[in-house]
Amino acid sequence: MDLKELYRDVILDHNRHPRNFGRLETSGGEVLHAEGHNPLCGDRLSVYVVLKGDRVEDIRFEGTGCAISTASASLMTEAVKGKERAAVARLFDEVHTLLTRPDAAAEATLGKLAALSGVREFPARVKCATLSWHTLNAALERGAATVSTE
Ligand code: ZN
């Protein structure tokens, strides 16, 4: 199996079986929440985050969208859970670079997120892949309730 097939399988798997999917219920603490919308594709996501200090204690998402937006959100929740906000911001920078620079190599720190590199062959889908990240940022900033990729 070559890398491209492996990456495609990761996307298909996370689309069919999204991780951390569904509303986040918590007994204590504030749940940060934001909605994201990508009008170009019709993707809609809600992201729920519980912060403990500066660390993402828990994160879930729900919504409907294309395979790339769902898989990307699923991969994102796995990648950022347990990380400090600064590390989350660095990770988003790396993902954004991977998605927008045709020759960017996947950083080892990306782990499974490297599977998103296939998206850059379809520039119109980059917003599908970044929607969950923009929505997460909005939730962490505790104000912007709705983000749109446009
Ligand atoms: Zn989409």
Side-chain angles (χ1 to χ4, degrees):
M1 187 186 281
D2 67 18
L3 204 54
K4 231 174 177 172
E5 285 174 38
L6 176 71
Y7 285 169
R8 194 193 56 206
D9 284 354
V10 170
I11 299 292
L12 289 175
D13 175 42
H14 278 261
N15 176 48
R16 283 191 195 127
H17 310 287
R19 317 303 199 267
N20 305 304
F21 188 82
R23 190 174 282 267
L24 180 60
E25 306 291 350
T26 176
S27 47
E30 184 190 6
V31 179
L32 306 173
H33 167 238
E35 315 271 337
H37 180 214
N38 173 17
L40 286 179
C41 182
D43 310 313
R44 285 186 182 277
L45 292 175
S46 299
V47 173
Y48 305 90
V49 188
V50 174
L51 278 181
K52 194 168 194 178
D54 236 14
R55 201 173 65 87
V56 175
E57 171 96 337
D58 203 359
I59 177 167
R60 293 179 75 84
F61 80 102
E62 63 182 2
T64 54
C66 66
I68 290 169
S69 70
T70 302
S72 177
S74 172
L75 288 162
M76 177 195 78
T77 58
E78 279 198 326
V80 304
K81 198 185 271 191
K83 286 201 165 64
E84 303 269 333
R85 287 184 64 172
V88 170
R90 278 198 301 275
L91 202 54
F92 183 26
D93 274 351
E94 290 176 13
V95 168
H96 198 260
T97 299
L98 182 74
L99 287 168
T100 53
R101 298 216 193 122
D103 53 352
E107 304 277 345
T109 46
L110 281 175
K112 272 200 239 169
L113 288 166
L116 294 171
S117 63
V119 173
R120 63 190 175 202
E121 290 171 40
F122 311 97
R125 311 307 294 280
V126 169
K127 286 181 174 175
C128 301
T130 55
L131 178 64
S132 56
W133 290 90
H134 289 300
T135 310
L136 170 61
N137 280 345
L140 291 175
E141 277 156 26
R142 299 160 191 266
T146 305
V147 291
S148 172
T149 53
E150 277 192 331

